[in-house]
């Protein structure tokens, strides 16, 4: 059984879900941001400018780049939502990325809390992810408060290259251990402050390049995340798991707790795992090259597959 997003004969569209323009604290206007991602071969991007009542770094409305959309490249109206109450953030602000927002989505009021803001974004139709949990010290309690989000940013390129706090995998794993069925994202959080773009992306399986099809696929987990490794297929065959990918040095299977298996070597493009003793309600795949570039599958829950 081919697992999503490889189980249907759809293309995989490459996109960045988290990035900024001069609408907020990005250094390039949206036209330049869009053309830069087009030059890198992306199919879509989200313009997720900060949405908060502070003109020094934030916009006061959702960023809309759809006037620049073309048949082979689209933008998702998005925002990085903020509200008060976050511990370990100098401004006390939560950072929540919401892709596919209605243009009239309002910024949080001073008394709106993070769970309410996340619920409001989901109800408005957005794909919602927890931005850079490592960068701003998201606590386990905080992650549990906003576990209704669709995904956790397990890789944030800007945080990775600017302060080596770009991971979110520990936060994501805690939520999985607690039974929250979150997906993963890899993003740039690009501000065009140097080359902080093109480092982390998602590959989304959808039958057409429209915002509706991309958002639907994101919400149903039909994608994987990457910083340079390609996943070609993941196949569950009774008690055996097969993974094919671009040449890599490590293919890793992870589950509940510390449970993991790995295949290590050179130029591995196919790996097989015996999962007959895999004592976990879910599994996920991580693939790594010698240069540190990775790809992450979303978690797969056995009760949804069998
Ligand atoms: Zn942020
Ligand atoms: Zn950001």
């Amino acid at each position: 059984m081919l697992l999503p997003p490889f189980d249907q004969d759809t293309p995989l569209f490459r996109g960045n879900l988290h990035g900024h323009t001069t609408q907020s604290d990005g250094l390039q206007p949206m036209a330049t941001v869009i053309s830069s991602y087009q030059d890198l071969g992306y199919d879509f991007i989200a313009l997720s400018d900060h949405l908060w009542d502070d003109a020094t770094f934030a916009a006061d409305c959702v960023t809309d780049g759809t006037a620049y959309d073309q048949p082979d490249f689209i933008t998702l109206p998005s925002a990085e939502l903020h509200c008060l109450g976050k511990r370990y953030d100098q401004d006390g602000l939560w950072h929540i990325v919401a892709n596919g927002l209605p243009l009239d989505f309002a910024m949080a009021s001073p008394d709106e809390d993070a769970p309410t803001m996340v619920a409001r974004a989901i109800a408005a139709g957005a794909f919602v992810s927890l931005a850079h949990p490592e960068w701003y010290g998201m606590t386990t309690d905080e992650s549990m408060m906003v576990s209704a989000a669709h995904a956790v940013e397990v890789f944030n390129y800007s945080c990775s290259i600017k302060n080596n706090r770009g991971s979110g995998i520990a936060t994501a794993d805690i939520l999985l251990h607690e039974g929250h069925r979150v997906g993963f994202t890899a993003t740039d959080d690009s501000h065009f402050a140097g080359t902080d773009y093109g480092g982390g992306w998602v590959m989304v399986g959808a039958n057409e390049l429209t915002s509706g099809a991309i958002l639907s696929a994101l919400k149903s987990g039909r994608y994987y995340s990457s910083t340079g490794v390609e996943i070609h297929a993941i196949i569950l065959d009774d008690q055996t798991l097969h993974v094919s990918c671009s040449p890599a040095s490590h293919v890793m299977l992870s589950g509940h707790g510390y449970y993991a298996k790995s295949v290590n070597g050179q130029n591995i493009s196919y790996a097989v795992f015996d999962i007959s003793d895999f004592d976990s309600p879910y599994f996920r795949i991580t693939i790594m090259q010698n240069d540190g570039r990775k790809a992450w599958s979303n978690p797969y829950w056995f009760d949804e597959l069998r």
Side-chain angles (χ1 to χ4, degrees):
M1 173 174 57
L2 272 164
L3 302 186
F6 314 103
D7 57 331
Q8 295 176 2
D9 192 21
T10 59
L12 291 170
F13 295 109
R14 182 184 181 191
N16 176 40
L17 298 175
H18 183 178
H20 302 274
T21 75
T22 48
Q23 299 285 309
S24 66
D25 63 348
L27 300 184
Q28 292 294 341
M30 65 172 78
T32 305
V33 172
I34 288 167
S35 64
S36 298
Y37 277 101
Q38 284 181 303
D39 290 346
L40 289 176
Y42 281 62
D43 302 296
F44 71 95
I45 61 169
L47 300 170
S48 62
D49 281 304
H50 301 283
L51 183 64
W52 185 238
D53 187 18
D54 184 339
T56 63
F57 80 100
D60 60 5
C61 62
V62 171
T63 302
D64 179 15
T66 56
Y68 295 93
D69 285 5
Q70 298 166 17
D72 62 351
F73 188 91
I74 64 166
T75 60
L76 306 178
S78 299
E80 183 167 4
L81 306 174
H82 299 285
C83 66
L84 292 170
K86 176 72 183 65
R87 201 176 174 188
Y88 305 139
D89 179 83
Q90 277 84 339
D91 306 311
L93 290 176
W94 286 78
H95 294 221
I96 303 288
V97 172
N99 302 122
L101 283 170
L103 297 180
D104 61 354
F105 189 85
M107 72 174 68
S109 61
D111 59 354
E112 185 171 47
D113 64 17
T116 306
M117 186 178 71
V118 165
R120 190 162 60 89
I122 292 171
F127 174 75
V128 176
S129 51
L130 308 183
H132 45 59
E134 185 180 39
W135 174 71
Y136 76 157
M138 178 176 275
T139 69
T140 298
D141 287 349
E142 286 173 336
S143 70
M144 300 289 281
M145 287 169 61
V146 289
S147 61
H150 297 101
V152 177
E153 231 177 43
V154 299
F155 180 82
N156 179 303
Y157 184 47
S158 285
C159 294
S160 174
I161 60 175
K162 290 170 186 170
N163 52 48
N164 194 29
R165 288 175 174 161
S167 178
I169 201 73
T171 297
D173 269 343
I174 290 283
L175 290 175
L176 295 173
H177 295 347
E178 292 288 337
H180 299 288
R181 301 194 176 198
V182 291
F184 299 168
T185 63
T187 74
D188 279 341
D189 198 359
S190 46
H191 291 73
F192 285 74
T195 52
D196 61 2
Y197 59 99
W201 58 89
V202 289
M203 299 295 290
V204 182
N207 54 14
E208 60 181 13
L209 185 61
T210 62
S211 58
I214 294 293
L215 285 166
S216 173
L218 287 167
K219 290 179 197 173
S220 54
R222 305 188 61 80
Y223 66 95
Y224 71 89
S225 303
S226 180
T227 60
V229 174
E230 294 176 11
I231 306 179
H232 297 151
I234 301 175
I235 298 170
L236 180 62
D237 179 15
D238 192 20
Q239 300 297 329
T240 308
L241 193 65
H242 308 258
V243 179
S244 58
C245 56
S246 57
S249 45
H250 312 278
V251 181
M252 296 163 275
L253 170 71
S254 307
H256 191 83
Y258 58 71
Y259 204 90
K261 296 186 174 191
S262 63
V263 174
N264 303 286
Q266 296 295 325
N267 295 316
I268 302 166
S269 57
Y270 171 75
V272 60
F273 297 95
D274 174 6
I275 59 166
S276 60
D277 59 348
F278 197 78
D279 186 19
S280 172
Y282 67 88
F283 66 90
R284 59 182 185 81
I285 300 290
T286 313
I287 305 169
M288 189 166 74
Q289 297 177 175
N290 271 333
D291 64 4
R293 291 175 184 266
K294 295 177 185 170
W296 299 262
S297 79
N298 275 319
Y300 298 99
W301 293 78
F302 286 108
D303 66 1
E304 295 178 7
L305 299 175
R306 288 172 169 160

